[in-house]
Amino acid sequence: MPMFRKKPVVIEAIQYTENNREEIEHFTGNGAKVNIEGKRRSVVIETLEGTMIGEPGDWIIKGVMGEFYPCKPHIFAATYDPVEEGE
């Protein structure tokens, strides 16, 4: 079976904390809508694959094509490492 390695790509991301609505909306260029109604405060994002919901703690990632999508914290931690400025 052929095997592949993911290309190293530096991405921009911000973690949704329920208290950073304006920061999320600014980061996505108002492409994300933060639902503040009810018990569950979620981020609604239109992605290349359709509508996705981000929950508090999820990371909102800006992809290589300028698209945005949510990522669960455990997947983010397994996939990405912090980059020092200038790397």
Side-chain angles (χ1 to χ4, degrees):
M1 171 95 31
M3 296 178 72
F4 298 87
R5 178 181 321 227
K6 190 173 186 178
K7 292 180 182 179
V9 176
V10 175
I11 54 99
E12 293 179 63
I14 185 171
Q15 193 167 32
Y16 174 48
T17 65
E18 283 192 270
N19 297 317
N20 60 346
R21 172 188 180 154
E22 289 179 8
E23 193 176 7
I24 294 289
E25 290 174 343
H26 177 72
F27 176 67
T28 62
N30 292 321
K33 300 301 175 209
V34 179
N35 177 12
I36 58 170
E37 298 176 11
K39 293 180 184 177
R40 190 179 231 175
R41 296 185 175 188
S42 57
V43 177
V44 179
I45 301 175
E46 293 301 324
T47 72
L48 298 176
E49 289 83 30
T51 303
M52 296 182 80
I53 307 296
E55 303 295 335
D58 288 355
W59 286 86
I60 310 305
I61 296 173
K62 182 177 183 180
V64 297
M65 303 297 288
E67 76 282 14
F68 294 93
Y69 56 94
C71 181
K72 293 295 178 197
H74 68 281
I75 296 171
F76 188 87
T79 307
Y80 299 100
D81 289 319
V83 173
E84 295 296 324
E85 201 167 313
E87 275 189 60

